[in-house]
Amino acid sequence: MWQTISYVSTANQSLTNAEVNELFKFVKLNNDNQNITGILMYSDGNFFQVLEGKPNLIQDLYKKILLDTRHYNVIKIFDRAITNCSFSEYHSSFKVLGQKYDHKELDHFLEEEKFHNPDNYKNISYLINQFMKLS
Ligand SMILES: Cc1cc2nc3c(=O)[nH]c(=O)nc-3n(C[C@H](O)[C@H](O)[C@H](O)COP(=O)(O)O)c2cc1C
């Protein structure tokens, strides 16, 4: 069993683009090392993140993220056990959205959501589309 947590948050206004890039690099390195998969998106002052991995790792990381002063207003979208990680099927790495992003993984994630979580699917796909448009 794996755990997945997703949230949106507001970036601290003092956060510069360089600091966001630093954060992205750090997150990619750290999550790859711990076999945590998912996605982190930043757009127009907001973060959207999906984390997938071992339950204790994901829970501990989420607690740390909640306390991070680089963002606030963290709103959890979902937190549940899963049997398959949506993002590990293509690359077992943490994707950080850059200019050139292969949407395949995100599409796969949304397909899974539609199947397992139809009530949430509409909101999540709307949210992701908003992020994709702006980023
Ligand atoms: C929006 C946002 C997303 C983050 N995502 C991760 C993440 O996926 N993995 C991670 O290791 N740290 C992430 N962090 C950083 C953690 O909050 C924390 O600073 C980091 O894990 C270092 O903690 P430590 O100094 O206790 O090791 C994120 C921070 C922010 C603001």
Side-chain angles (χ1 to χ4, degrees):
M1 253 325 171
W2 306 94
Q3 187 82 18
T4 182
I5 295 182
S6 173
Y7 68 84
V8 283
S9 67
T10 310
N12 193 314
Q13 285 196 345
S14 65
L15 206 64
T16 63
N17 283 345
E19 284 168 336
V20 172
N21 281 329
E22 273 308 302
L23 174 67
F24 277 14
K25 270 192 228 154
F26 172 86
V27 164
K28 163 109 183 107
L29 206 73
N30 228 30
N31 291 3
D32 277 352
N33 282 341
Q34 298 190 82
N35 286 328
I36 292 173
T37 57
I39 189 165
L40 174 63
M41 294 164 97
Y42 172 79
S43 178
D44 202 28
N46 296 294
F47 289 109
F48 168 71
Q49 188 167 32
V50 178
L51 296 161
E52 302 174 327
K54 283 194 180 151
N56 55 335
L57 278 183
I58 297 300
Q59 277 144 16
D60 289 351
L61 177 57
Y62 184 67
K63 278 185 208 154
K64 260 198 238 173
I65 291 174
L66 277 181
L67 296 174
D68 200 308
T69 55
R70 285 171 284 189
H71 67 165
Y72 59 100
N73 234 350
V74 181
I75 302 167
K76 205 188 249 182
I77 302 171
F78 55 72
D79 182 348
R80 65 172 191 275
I82 44 169
T83 43
N84 292 307
C85 292
S86 302
F87 288 91
S88 59
E89 256 175 72
Y90 299 92
H91 314 273
S92 62
S93 66
F94 195 86
K95 281 280 169 196
V96 171
L97 203 73
Q99 244 125 28
K100 281 185 249 140
Y101 179 72
D102 181 357
H103 292 193
K104 255 190 238 159
E105 278 196 323
L106 213 48
D107 291 344
H108 174 69
F109 166 72
L110 285 173
E111 268 169 39
E112 291 279 303
E113 269 315 292
K114 199 172 182 176
F115 185 73
H116 293 291
N117 217 359
D119 292 345
N120 265 356
Y121 168 74
K122 253 185 142 177
N123 296 344
I124 291 170
S125 65
Y126 172 78
L127 199 72
I128 288 176
N129 279 322
Q130 287 302 107
F131 269 91
M132 299 302 279
K133 264 190 237 154
L134 292 165
S135 54

